[in-house]
């Protein structure tokens, strides 16, 4: 098969779906790999490195997409800024794509994938089962985001993280509150601890307390209405307004004591819950910092502006949406491994896809002119 890797067309994207040292994984299985010229520029990999690794370099993205049997991509197809055409229209009819596709937020794209009989696999729907952990790009990218969020805090905060006992006096450690302790949150806790901060965290899922404590952080106990908070696959369920109001009160009680907050709370497929209101920001000391990892899903802080850094009442609120793009080399390394593992799972029997396989079936959004994923089908048929 011809496996193709474009240069990501999203502004500010630095990641690439395959690094040069991953090309041989495909060529040794008798596949050809074609890459768009410049695809590795964000990770400092030149066309000649890709060529030496066995890839064919293609200058024209239309030629690349027209040759494709399988397209390996990071971001969902979009309006191509140079071609001024939707990328799906440039794809060869009947080819396949593997990548993040955000199908629930992108109904038009789903229709186009159906029309052009594209077989599409979305990382967002890789089932969260043990066997699929090596294909879980959501978790890989959340790990990078959690790490980077701490560095953004450290960079902006006018304080140092660790306790320092110096001849000029004792400096207390910075206090960091992490809200939401899933993959990104746990990595943020671990990173802030490594830098020496005092870390507190909260997540409504019952299993999380022990995970937070095992990283040396304090779990913030909250008196909240009893609700079923755990959905399938490890995700949290959407909480009631009463639950969120109580949670906001409990967070509010901590605000005078924290220097920084990293928010990561998300509900799969829904808008992120508001955990910090405008009023609550006023209770924070001027100079404190919020990094809102949920910015793209609407944000956990009411004042977050997606992809902006804003200052309100002296508090800096950072809403950077693509944190993994700030660490492109390791993000691409992890992503590339995830994409290779998903590719191998989907095409383990050659070009025939086994839709009885839980991972291939679960992650498939469209195939042969049909929507394969129930949640996406419901959204498209409901016209929502
Ligand atoms: P996510 O990105 O959907 O959400 C991030 C966190 O926000 C979650 O921990 C969630 O509980 C939390 N949250 C939701 N509402 C909140 C609120 N009101 N206040 C505070 N926090 C709130 O989730 P994720 O990080 O991708 O994954 C969550 C969990 O899924 C993981 O911790 C893990 O247990 C599980 N998981 C399992 C696998 C696997 O088995 N293969 C892979 C990845 C993750």
């Amino acid at each position: 098969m011809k496996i193709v890797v474009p240069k990501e067309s999203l502004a500010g994207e630095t990641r690439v779906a395959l690094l040069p040292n991953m090309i041989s994984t495909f060529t040794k299985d008798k596949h050809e790999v074609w890459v768009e010229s410049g695809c590795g520029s964000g990770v400092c990999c030149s066309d000649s490195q890709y060529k030496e690794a066995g890839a064919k370099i293609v200058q024209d993205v239309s030629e690349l997409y027209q040759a494709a049997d399988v397209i390996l991509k990071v971001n969902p197809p979009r309006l191509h800024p140079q071609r001024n055409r939707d990328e799906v229209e440039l794809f060869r009819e009947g080819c396949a794509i593997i990548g993040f596709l955000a199908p629930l937020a992108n109904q038009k794209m789903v229709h186009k994938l159906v029309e052009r009989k594209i077989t599409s696999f979305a990382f967002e729907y890789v089932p969260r089962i043990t066997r699929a952990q090596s294909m879980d790009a959501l978790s890989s990218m959340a790990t990078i985001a959690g790490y980077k969020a701490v560095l953004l805090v450290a960079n902006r905060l006018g304080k140092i993280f660790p306790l320092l006992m110096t001849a000029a006096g004792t400096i207390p450690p910075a206090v960091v509150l992490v809200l939401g302790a899933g993959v990104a949150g746990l990595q943020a806790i671990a990173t802030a601890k490594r830098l020496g901060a005092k870390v507190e965290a909260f997540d409504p899922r019952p299993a999380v307390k022990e995970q937070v404590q095992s990283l040396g952080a304090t779990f913030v106990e909250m008196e909240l209405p009893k609700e079923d908070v755990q959905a399938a696959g490890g995700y949290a369920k959407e909480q009631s307004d009463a639950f969120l109001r109580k949670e906001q009160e409990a967070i509010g009680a901590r605000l005078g004591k924290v220097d920084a907050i990293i928010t990561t709370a998300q509900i799969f497929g829904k808008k992120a819950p508001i955990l910090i209101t405008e009023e609550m920001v006023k209770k924070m000391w001027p100079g404190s910092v919020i990094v809102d990892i949920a910015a793209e899903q609407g944000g956990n802080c009411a004042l977050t502006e997606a992809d902006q850094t804003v200052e309100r009442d002296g508090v800096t609120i950072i809403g950077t949406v693509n944190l993994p793009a700030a660490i492109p080399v390791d993000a691409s390394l992890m992503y590339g491994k995830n994409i290779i593992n998903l590719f191998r799972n989907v095409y383990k029997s050659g070009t025939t896809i086994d839709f009885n396989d839980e991972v291939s079936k679960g992650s498939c959004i469209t195939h042969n002119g049909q929507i394969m994923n129930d949640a996406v089908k419901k959204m498209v048929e409901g016209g929502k």
Side-chain angles (χ1 to χ4, degrees):
M1 288 195 287
K2 276 196 192 79
I3 317 297
V4 316
V5 178
K7 181 172 170 54
E8 291 298 316
S9 57
L10 179 70
E13 185 55 83
T14 50
R15 292 169 295 172
V16 60
L18 281 187
L19 293 170
N21 63 7
M22 296 167 172
I23 305 293
S24 62
T25 316
F26 294 96
T27 51
K28 75 174 165 34
D29 286 342
K30 308 276 179 272
H31 298 302
E32 282 179 45
V33 181
W34 291 21
V35 305
E36 185 180 352
S37 174
C39 69
S41 60
V43 288
C44 304
C45 289
S46 62
D47 286 357
S48 46
Q49 283 173 282
Y50 277 96
K51 199 169 166 198
E52 275 162 32
K56 174 175 164 165
I57 313 298
V58 180
Q59 300 295 331
D60 180 2
V61 70
S62 308
E63 183 192 339
L64 182 88
Y65 281 145
Q66 278 304 308
D69 290 310
V70 183
I71 299 165
L72 304 183
K73 233 184 148 310
V74 180
N75 294 293
R78 54 194 294 280
L79 185 73
H80 196 285
Q82 276 87 47
R83 289 286 171 280
N84 204 26
R85 273 185 72 190
D86 192 300
E87 279 180 293
V88 182
E89 291 168 10
L90 301 175
F91 295 173
R92 186 179 67 73
E93 195 165 317
C95 75
I97 177 171
I98 304 178
F100 283 118
L101 297 178
L104 291 184
N106 211 342
Q107 207 179 126
K108 261 195 194 154
M109 175 201 71
V110 175
H111 282 302
K112 283 198 174 138
L113 291 170
V114 168
E115 263 166 44
R116 299 193 54 74
K117 298 192 170 51
I118 309 291
T119 300
S120 55
F121 295 93
F123 277 117
E124 291 89 340
Y125 284 96
V126 169
R128 297 190 121 181
I129 54 172
T130 307
R131 179 168 71 82
Q133 277 179 355
S134 65
M135 312 168 209
D136 185 356
L138 269 184
S139 290
S140 301
M141 297 304 106
T143 300
I144 302 263
Y147 168 83
K148 184 66 187 177
V150 176
L151 303 191
L152 292 180
V153 168
N155 212 21
R156 187 77 181 208
L157 195 66
K159 294 184 169 194
I160 55 173
F161 270 38
L163 170 95
L164 274 196
M165 295 169 91
T166 78
T170 298
I171 301 176
V175 181
V176 177
L177 172 63
V178 177
L179 296 173
V183 181
L186 290 174
Q187 187 53 235
I189 293 169
T191 305
K193 283 297 291 179
R194 280 183 214 117
L195 282 179
K198 195 166 170 292
V199 185
E200 304 177 354
F202 175 73
D203 192 295
R205 288 183 298 114
V208 177
K209 179 175 176 179
E210 204 181 304
Q211 295 166 3
V212 165
Q213 289 171 336
S214 73
L215 290 170
T218 306
F219 186 79
V220 180
E221 301 287 353
M222 299 188 184
E223 293 274 324
L224 300 171
K226 295 265 170 288
E227 280 181 17
D228 179 11
V229 288
Q230 178 96 32
Y235 289 115
K237 269 193 182 154
E238 202 168 16
Q239 303 100 21
S240 68
D241 289 347
F243 185 102
L244 289 175
R245 260 197 313 279
K246 278 278 178 202
E247 185 178 349
Q248 288 164 2
E249 276 173 29
I251 296 166
R254 303 295 314 142
L255 291 183
K257 300 173 187 83
V258 303
D259 299 306
I261 308 180
I262 295 171
T263 67
T264 77
Q266 299 199 40
I267 309 292
F268 185 76
K270 306 259 166 94
K271 195 176 172 299
I274 294 288
L275 306 181
I276 306 172
T277 62
E278 189 169 351
E279 279 311 302
M280 289 165 74
V281 172
K282 291 194 175 114
K283 287 196 204 163
M284 296 179 74
W285 68 269
S288 51
V289 179
I290 298 172
V291 175
D292 193 339
I293 293 187
E296 200 168 8
Q297 282 69 40
N300 295 138
C301 173
L303 297 175
T304 299
E305 290 181 26
D307 232 6
Q308 303 291 324
T309 296
V310 295
E311 208 179 300
R312 293 293 172 86
D313 300 302
V315 178
T316 301
I317 304 152
I318 300 173
T320 309
V321 296
N322 189 355
L323 289 170
I327 309 193
V329 174
D330 284 335
S332 301
L333 186 73
M334 293 170 90
Y335 189 80
K337 288 194 174 160
N338 294 143
I339 216 165
I340 287 169
N341 290 327
L342 183 53
F343 175 92
R344 281 181 166 158
N345 188 80
V346 167
Y347 294 106
K348 60 178 171 243
S349 327
T351 51
T352 314
I353 301 160
D354 173 11
F355 285 107
N356 289 320
D357 176 276
E358 189 181 357
V359 179
S360 303
K361 181 177 187 291
S363 58
C364 186
I365 304 302
T366 57
H367 175 63
N368 208 12
Q370 306 283 331
I371 299 177
M372 304 290 280
N373 179 286
D374 290 342
V376 176
K377 203 170 185 172
K378 204 168 143 201
M379 181 258 316
V380 169
E381 284 170 359
K384 284 186 259 165

